[in-house]
Amino acid sequence: MLTDYHILLVSGFVRTLAACLVLFGLLPRLVLPDLFPGEPGRRMAAGLVTSGALLVVIAHLLVLASMFDGVAFVAVIFGVWSVRLWFSGIRGSRYGFEGMFAKLLRLFDVLSWEQLRKFRREAFERIRSSIDSTRLVLFAVLASVIMLTGLVRLVPVWDHAAPFSMEYYDTLEHVKRLQLNQMYLLGYRVPLGLPMIVQTLSIISQVNVSIMLHFFGAISSLMLAGSIAFVVHRATNSLPGAIAGAALFGLFNSLLPMDVRSQVEADSFVLAGAFMLPSVSFLVDCWLEPKWKTLAVAVAGLLCTLMVNVFMGSLVTPAAFLIVLGALLTSHWLPWMRGKRRLVIAGLGVVLGAGFLVFTGLVLHNTGFRNVVQVLLYDQHINRYFSLYGALSSVVVWGSGALFVAALVMSFWKSAYAGGHLHLFSWGAFGVALVVLLQYSSDELGSMIPLSQSAALLAILGAVGFGIVVGWIIQSAAGILQHQARPLWQPRVVQLAGTAVALALLGVYSPGQHLEFDYTVEPDGFARSLYLIDQQYMPYQWTAVSHRGTALSGMNRGRFLDYGYFFDRYNPDTYKHGSKDAVPTPLLFIFVERRPDQSNVATELATTSITAAGNIKDWITRYQERHSDMKIFYSDPDVIVYKIEDPSVNALRG
């Protein structure tokens, strides 16, 4: 049965997706140069990573200036857009002010119903003549896989309104502090890319950040599945491979060493992966066709990755080294790399390799340096869920290694499409290096980079490797048929049949994990009733008497009183709402568990003594004996929320 919470969840999810389209699709088209015209896939990926970096940089500057809000963010974006138009106007671009207004006036001159009908007919004929039915079907399958990746991770959120982990509240507290233009908690210095992106999306979509964080894992996983599909397609020029890679990560993931439960709520690791994969792909493109624009996109994406998750961002150095090595080994396919350029690139590779060896030496022999690095790279959320999943099996490790070795072999195969050699080598070498690290690293490296985080990275790269192998095989088979001048339908049948076979094999040998949560940090009623209060009443009109989680969820929206403080401060026999000594808001809500002897609130949220729940029940009983204005606002088998209301109270008093 649909409840108010489900309606709020669906509405918030749809509005957040729309905000993502604005932020990662429309924003880069407005404020950045026209990136990769004629290549929609690369343009979308470039828009994702550049707008993410732009957002994080602007958010940091606004928070430092104590101006991080919706008006300031829109003002900065409008300013950047104006500067872009001004510069493009100076250069005589079609984006200049005069050119835009001239085109607009010419459009009004010729605009008529006849012109519109003619334009519609021409556009329809153009689309019909350019449609490839096979690619259209494959695109539809890929879009379905990506959307299902997000919807599968919404199932637990649909069933439970309460958070599943304490990390949810850590991220929520950072978002709430960003709303107050406070960047860090005391002693906390890790980059806040995830909270900044969530807060910006909340500003655009006007969705409560508490519920957005609850389903943001589905959004992040959806983005990561799209990034996997993008890099596989760039490496193999194969849509079937992109579908296979995205499906392995998103839907058929029981063989992957990354529990899907870690992807249900907002997690910086998954979001950072969505930025890291295309960024590395653009870094490869810099060697295929050196352009400043491509390099700027790659650097922006890697900066955004680092600001979201330090561990994922730290991978840029080994990735850059492996890409340089691949460029040297595949240089005979790169016509621009001749003469002294090859020596310069070799020197760069030596510098990167030496830097990596120095870093490794410091880690192995300097305990203080290793501890600092471990603190920066440690991701508690991934580690907690991996401990429930189990250790890495040798089948997973060596199976993934076989995929990466196959990608390395394919990178030297003559039939690889132009530009694919370096992509194949880079991802294959990246995966092989990770497998070697997992199997043969010393204890010092293992303590610095926890097994769980390396395993989660292996899951992401394993999906990429699987997509590359499947895509290369299907693309090669279709290419052989086409080269032999077979009828046009045969290569298309190979692609469609290969996609179906790959998905069928995944469904048989690696079915999706069954997402069941038998633990939440609080009963669902706490979260459901708080969402109802937030919907029905204005900010700061109400005070909640509850545990610390309610304080974080209601922060910047309402007031909060701890159970113990409320019981000690207010006497139920004489309490009168509206008096000068009462709670200074028109509404008072008291959250109570029906079975306080078996509390389902996490101990980290219970900030008062063990008798607080019993005390608050006693307070309510005594109050109801002497007053008649207490009503039940929300009730379910686990939680009951009482309401005391006096509209005459000045919410700003006190």
Side-chain angles (χ1 to χ4, degrees):
M1 183 181 69
L2 285 179
T3 64
D4 292 330
Y5 164 71
H6 293 130
I7 295 172
L8 182 64
L9 179 66
V10 173
S11 171
F13 187 75
V14 172
R15 287 158 64 183
T16 302
L17 282 179
C20 286
L21 291 176
V22 171
L23 192 62
F24 300 118
L26 179 62
L27 178 63
R29 299 297 299 274
L30 288 177
V31 303
L32 298 172
D34 195 13
L35 299 170
F36 309 111
E39 299 179 86
R42 293 183 75 195
R43 187 171 65 241
M44 290 173 60
L48 171 69
V49 298
T50 51
S51 57
L54 184 67
L55 183 157
V56 172
V57 170
I58 290 175
H60 271 86
L61 294 176
L62 290 177
V63 173
L64 291 173
S66 298
M67 296 173 58
F68 188 33
D69 57 31
V71 175
F73 184 79
V74 172
V76 171
I77 295 300
F78 182 77
V80 175
W81 182 46
S82 301
V83 170
R84 181 216 169 172
L85 289 176
W86 183 64
F87 273 106
S88 61
I90 290 176
R91 288 158 37 197
S93 168
R94 57 194 177 98
Y95 292 103
F97 282 111
E98 297 83 358
M100 290 180 65
F101 282 118
K103 288 185 177 182
L104 185 62
L105 291 174
R106 285 199 298 271
L107 177 64
F108 284 137
D109 286 339
V110 302
L111 196 60
S112 65
W113 285 113
E114 182 60 33
Q115 290 289 339
L116 289 175
R117 283 195 293 268
K118 181 180 178 182
F119 175 78
R120 186 187 64 186
R121 287 195 301 269
E122 292 177 351
F124 180 76
E125 289 297 328
R126 221 171 23 245
I127 293 173
R128 188 174 66 177
S129 62
S130 62
I131 283 180
D132 183 337
S133 57
T134 303
R135 288 183 66 83
L136 187 62
V137 171
L138 293 175
F139 269 120
V141 174
L142 178 59
S144 300
V145 167
I146 293 175
M147 285 304 301
L148 285 173
T149 297
L151 294 177
V152 164
R153 286 151 180 81
L154 276 181
V155 173
V157 179
W158 180 270
D159 296 333
H160 298 283
F164 304 110
S165 68
M166 288 303 302
E167 287 78 14
Y168 165 91
Y169 284 113
D170 292 338
T171 307
L172 178 62
E173 187 169 5
H174 288 302
V175 176
K176 296 287 186 175
R177 289 186 177 274
L178 286 175
Q179 294 174 350
L180 300 174
N181 289 289
Q182 298 174 359
M183 186 174 296
Y184 292 113
L185 303 175
L186 184 61
Y188 194 92
R189 292 296 179 269
V190 176
L192 300 178
L194 171 62
M196 287 180 173
I197 291 174
V198 170
Q199 171 59 10
T200 306
L201 287 172
S202 176
I203 290 172
I204 297 174
S205 63
Q206 290 300 294
V207 174
N208 187 333
V209 294
S210 297
I211 197 168
M212 181 182 289
L213 281 174
H214 198 38
F215 64 68
F216 195 73
I219 302 285
S220 302
S221 298
L222 184 150
M223 294 168 63
L224 180 51
S227 294
I228 290 172
F230 169 74
V231 299
V232 171
H233 188 265
R234 286 294 299 160
T236 61
N237 196 30
S238 168
L239 278 175
I243 293 170
L248 176 60
F249 168 78
L251 303 179
F252 309 105
N253 39 47
S254 62
L255 286 180
L256 295 181
M258 183 181 183
D259 199 302
V260 180
R261 285 174 291 183
S262 64
Q263 305 168 32
V264 171
E265 284 183 345
D267 174 56
S268 62
F269 197 96
V270 177
L271 183 62
F275 290 109
M276 185 270 289
L277 293 181
S279 301
V280 173
S281 181
F282 283 114
L283 202 59
V284 174
D285 288 340
C286 293
W287 294 100
L288 295 175
E289 188 179 3
K291 289 184 178 179
W292 286 109
K293 184 185 296 185
T294 308
L295 179 61
V297 171
V299 171
L302 293 170
L303 171 65
C304 182
T305 304
L306 182 65
M307 298 305 292
V308 173
N309 186 281
V310 178
F311 173 73
M312 296 293 277
S314 65
L315 299 173
V316 59
T317 302
F321 172 73
L322 293 172
I323 292 170
V324 171
L325 178 62
L328 289 171
L329 294 177
T330 61
S331 59
H332 52 284
W333 282 299
L334 302 175
W336 67 272
M337 193 188 297
R338 295 191 180 95
K340 295 180 180 179
R341 289 178 179 173
R342 190 178 302 181
L343 295 177
V344 172
I345 295 171
L348 178 60
V350 170
V351 170
L352 288 173
F356 183 73
L357 290 176
V358 169
F359 176 83
T360 305
L362 286 173
V363 168
L364 293 176
H365 301 103
N366 190 310
T367 305
F369 182 81
R370 182 169 65 250
N371 292 339
V372 170
V373 174
Q374 183 179 5
V375 169
L376 288 175
L377 300 184
Y378 185 78
D379 191 313
Q380 181 179 357
H381 191 55
I382 290 293
N383 292 319
R384 182 174 66 84
Y385 273 106
F386 183 84
S387 65
L388 299 176
Y389 184 75
L392 274 173
S393 67
S394 59
V395 174
V396 170
V397 175
W398 295 118
S400 302
L403 292 174
F404 302 136
V405 170
L408 284 176
V409 174
M410 294 170 188
S411 66
F412 296 101
W413 204 272
K414 292 184 179 180
S415 62
Y417 87 102
H421 301 280
L422 186 53
H423 280 280
L424 292 170
F425 179 90
S426 300
W427 294 115
F430 204 167
V432 168
L434 179 60
V435 170
V436 172
L437 176 68
L438 284 170
Q439 290 298 106
Y440 301 109
S441 62
S442 63
D443 293 338
E444 290 82 2
L445 281 176
S447 64
M448 187 191 72
I449 306 175
L451 174 66
S452 51
Q453 290 176 213
S454 300
L457 177 61
L458 181 64
I460 296 173
L461 292 182
V464 172
F466 180 76
I468 284 175
V469 172
V470 170
W472 189 86
I473 292 173
I474 295 176
Q475 191 75 354
S476 298
I480 291 173
L481 290 176
Q482 192 171 0
H483 182 71
Q484 293 178 351
R486 297 282 184 175
L488 187 60
W489 60 269
Q490 290 189 6
R492 294 179 176 179
V493 169
V494 167
Q495 292 191 356
L496 293 174
T499 304
V501 170
L503 293 178
L505 291 175
L506 284 175
V508 172
Y509 292 104
S510 181
Q513 297 176 32
H514 188 50
L515 285 179
E516 277 191 359
F517 283 82
D518 54 4
Y519 171 78
T520 57
V521 296
E522 62 180 2
D524 282 349
F526 281 88
R528 291 176 187 268
S529 55
L530 200 58
Y531 291 141
L532 287 176
I533 293 171
D534 190 65
Q535 281 185 293
Q536 296 181 15
Y537 300 105
M538 296 290 290
Y540 298 107
Q541 273 194 326
W542 48 274
T543 298
V545 180
S546 184
H547 59 74
R548 193 173 69 90
T550 304
L552 293 174
S553 298
M555 187 177 175
N556 306 336
R557 303 293 295 177
R559 298 189 176 190
F560 167 78
L561 289 176
D562 180 76
Y563 284 130
Y565 177 84
F566 179 78
F567 180 81
D568 295 336
R569 176 70 175 78
Y570 299 102
N571 186 342
D573 299 328
T574 59
Y575 183 85
K576 179 174 175 55
H577 202 61
S579 66
K580 65 182 181 63
D581 295 325
V583 175
T585 56
L587 291 153
L588 174 65
F589 295 96
I590 304 176
F591 293 65
V592 182
E593 284 189 273
R594 288 187 180 273
R595 298 186 298 274
D597 56 320
Q598 299 177 351
S599 177
N600 290 319
V601 177
T603 54
E604 296 91 338
L605 300 178
T607 57
T608 57
S609 67
I610 195 171
T611 60
N615 288 341
I616 203 66
K617 288 281 290 183
D618 178 63
W619 193 98
I620 291 170
T621 301
R622 289 168 57 189
Y623 183 87
Q624 289 175 326
E625 290 174 353
R626 292 164 177 79
H627 304 81
S628 59
D629 60 342
M630 179 177 282
K631 301 177 181 178
I632 295 178
F633 174 75
Y634 175 88
S635 179
D636 66 21
D638 299 312
V639 176
I640 183 167
V641 180
Y642 297 95
K643 179 180 75 171
I644 304 175
E645 181 176 9
D646 188 339
S648 66
V649 176
N650 180 6
L652 300 179
R653 177 167 56 84

